[in-house]
Amino acid sequence: MRQIIAMGGGGFSMEPENLLLDRYILAQVKSDVPKVCFVPTASGDQTNYIERFYKAFQTLPCEPSHLSLFEPEVPDIENFILDKDVIYVGGGNTRNLLVLWKEWGLDTILKKAYEKGIILTGLSAGSICWFEEGLTDPLNAPLYKLDCLGFLKGSNCPHYDGENKRKPAYHRLVLKGEIKEGYAADDGAALHFINETLSSSVSSRPGAKAYKVMIEGNRIVEEEIKTVYVGK
């Protein structure tokens, strides 16, 4: 079973006191102690980001590890990745992430992991990267379309409610045909795909939602996806 859990935002890095989405990800693994590898490429492997990952995941029932491409400590990346249950990709610069992954062959390794049934997940850049296209935001510049790995069809827009430029930019590009129709997720919402088909949408915040964004005639239509709050 192939699984991707694409978070619009949230998880340990955005909600350190609310690990509901992180717990949900771990719950999808059959193992009692899943092996989770954090891939912080998009942040330039920031030490602080890696430390926050360990601080959060050492409180959860799992075996945490991380993969650095800037200061590599793993002699065989493919064996390291394929031994894991979950690959968790952090946020940051999606374009840099994709360039580095291709240079290191990590894009091909992750496809093998996906086909093997290892869960792929992440937020922001770690959500966009799995789709054919994503809406990305360079510093102090207009948002634009980025070609991504294409494990999932269509496009993706994270931070749908968290950054005020996201929604109008995504609508404009979809309507102009410059980016494919696709999925948008609020901060705290996650889209769970099984075998390339959307299976469910969950959230760590009661009001967080996910949407299918489409063209109907000459206008944009948002189809709200039923999103289940995983808290109490």
Side-chain angles (χ1 to χ4, degrees):
M1 185 167 67
R2 299 179 300 277
Q3 297 187 75
I4 292 177
I5 302 172
M7 297 181 278
F12 76 92
S13 60
M14 289 186 67
E15 301 177 317
E17 305 303 320
N18 178 6
L19 302 181
L20 287 173
L21 289 182
D22 301 322
R23 290 182 181 277
Y24 175 82
I25 292 163
L26 295 180
Q28 310 312 308
V29 183
K30 292 180 180 179
S31 170
D32 291 335
V33 186
K35 296 178 181 178
V36 183
C37 178
F38 180 50
V39 183
T41 315
S43 71
D45 291 346
Q46 284 184 2
T47 301
N48 176 264
Y49 203 3
I50 295 169
E51 289 173 349
R52 284 186 287 143
F53 164 74
Y54 281 109
K55 182 178 180 181
F57 275 78
Q58 284 171 348
T59 70
L60 301 175
C62 68
E63 182 182 317
S65 62
H66 77 281
L67 176 68
S68 172
L69 298 182
F70 287 83
E71 296 182 11
E73 299 177 353
V74 176
D76 189 326
I77 292 177
E78 182 166 336
N79 284 339
F80 181 76
I81 290 291
L82 296 182
D83 183 53
K84 302 299 180 280
D85 297 299
V86 177
I87 305 299
Y88 192 127
V89 180
N93 189 306
T94 315
R95 190 170 193 166
N96 287 351
L97 172 151
L98 292 167
V99 169
L100 283 168
W101 281 5
K102 185 174 182 180
E103 178 66 25
W104 283 81
L106 190 54
D107 53 345
T108 302
I109 294 169
L110 288 171
K111 186 63 182 291
K112 290 180 181 179
Y114 179 55
E115 297 293 344
K116 185 182 177 183
I118 296 169
I119 295 173
L120 306 180
T121 188
L123 75 156
S124 194
S127 172
I128 291 170
C129 64
W130 312 120
F131 290 80
E132 289 181 296
E133 299 173 351
L135 184 68
T136 192
D137 58 335
L139 187 65
N140 299 322
L143 281 79
Y144 66 93
K145 180 203 81 169
L146 188 65
D147 292 326
C148 301
L149 296 178
F151 296 179
L152 298 172
K153 297 291 186 184
S155 66
N156 179 233
C157 176
H159 306 303
Y160 203 51
D161 68 336
E163 298 176 3
N164 58 16
K165 294 181 180 179
R166 288 274 179 174
K167 183 185 288 192
Y170 191 43
H171 285 195
R172 182 176 66 255
L173 291 176
V174 171
L175 192 58
K176 291 169 68 176
E178 294 182 12
I179 193 170
K180 295 181 179 181
E181 297 173 318
Y183 296 90
D186 291 343
D187 288 339
L191 296 154
H192 188 171
F193 292 84
I194 297 177
N195 297 334
E196 298 80 57
T197 299
L198 183 63
S199 173
S200 59
S201 176
V202 298
S203 73
S204 59
R205 307 176 187 180
K209 300 291 183 184
Y211 305 86
K212 184 74 186 293
V213 178
M214 304 167 288
I215 300 174
E216 190 175 280
N218 60 353
R219 66 189 183 95
I220 287 291
V221 173
E222 285 182 343
E223 181 181 294
E224 185 176 312
I225 298 166
K226 181 182 178 181
T227 301
V228 178
Y229 173 57
V230 293
K232 294 181 179 179

